[in-house]
Amino acid sequence: MLLKSIRHSLDELINLLDQLSDHEYSKSCQALSNATIGEHTRHILEMFQCLENGYNLGILNYDNRERNYRIQTETKFAKQRIVEIKTGLKSENKIMYLEQLIDELSIRIQSSYYRELLYNLEHCIHHQALIKVAVLQFDNISINENFGVARSTIEYRKQCVQ
């Protein structure tokens, strides 16, 4: 179910990118402190890439992102990265170690691949909610009403309707 939810969120992102020109994708949005849809997309994708890159060794550091400018400026390139991420998702859970530098002190804590996948899904949804704000500046873009909405919120809303 987790992998299915991740693929769904990434497919929603592809659907959005299919509707945007590179200019729209990299246009600043005042409501997002002049950030762009592309910058938020890059951030989402590079977190997934960090997880995939750390899988074999079992060590993950989200600070070591590539920060690839092409992901945030070229929709076609970003969509290719999304397809690679979806293809690279592993079905086998395993122990992993999360490393991070905090106040010049390196820490390492135990986690797991599935725990980090869940974190990345929630992180993706959070940034999709921000992207949704930027999409409001365009009249020609159509996104699902649940784009950027947490799965638990969607389920809660369904229960309220019943």
Side-chain angles (χ1 to χ4, degrees):
M1 188 65 181
L2 176 59
L3 295 177
K4 181 180 175 185
S5 292
I6 290 169
R7 287 186 183 102
H8 175 75
S9 286
L10 293 174
D11 285 340
E12 285 183 324
L13 205 48
I14 287 174
N15 180 52
L16 172 62
L17 299 186
D18 282 340
Q19 300 176 66
L20 293 169
S21 68
D22 287 349
H23 173 74
E24 292 167 327
Y25 183 62
S26 55
K27 182 181 179 185
S28 294
C29 175
Q30 189 174 8
L32 296 178
S33 302
N34 293 321
T36 69
I37 293 170
E39 288 170 326
H40 283 279
T41 301
R42 177 186 56 77
H43 186 64
I44 291 167
L45 302 186
E46 289 187 343
M47 297 293 274
F48 276 108
Q49 288 173 332
C50 280
L51 179 55
E52 183 178 338
N53 293 340
Y55 183 83
N56 287 337
L57 192 56
I59 298 174
L60 171 63
N61 187 325
Y62 290 117
D63 294 334
N64 294 337
R65 296 187 307 278
E66 184 181 356
R67 293 169 173 86
N68 187 322
Y69 186 73
R70 288 184 68 195
I71 294 174
Q72 74 184 45
T73 57
E74 301 173 30
T75 57
K76 183 177 179 181
F77 188 77
K79 288 187 289 187
Q80 290 169 343
R81 300 297 75 82
I82 293 171
V83 170
E84 289 172 4
I85 289 166
K86 286 173 51 182
T87 302
L89 292 172
K90 315 284 190 284
S91 58
E92 186 176 333
N93 194 19
K94 67 183 253 182
I95 290 175
M96 296 189 73
Y97 293 91
L98 178 62
E99 290 185 338
Q100 191 166 352
L101 191 64
I102 299 176
D103 297 328
E104 299 179 27
L105 181 65
S106 181
I107 63 164
R108 181 185 279 195
I109 57 173
Q110 184 174 314
S111 187
S112 72
Y113 179 65
Y114 282 4
R115 168 63 187 94
E116 295 305 320
L117 277 178
L118 181 59
Y119 166 75
N120 273 272
L121 173 60
E122 293 299 319
H123 179 260
C124 177
I125 292 168
H126 164 74
H127 279 275
Q128 284 176 320
L130 294 169
I131 289 169
K132 193 179 216 177
V133 171
V135 166
L136 296 175
Q137 67 185 321
F138 305 112
D139 296 329
N140 60 329
I141 307 298
S142 170
I143 55 174
N144 185 297
E145 67 182 86
N146 289 325
F147 184 91
V149 178
R151 300 295 180 255
S152 60
T153 303
I154 294 167
E155 290 304 315
Y156 177 75
R157 288 177 181 169
K158 286 179 186 175
Q159 291 172 6
C160 290
V161 172
Q162 295 175 353

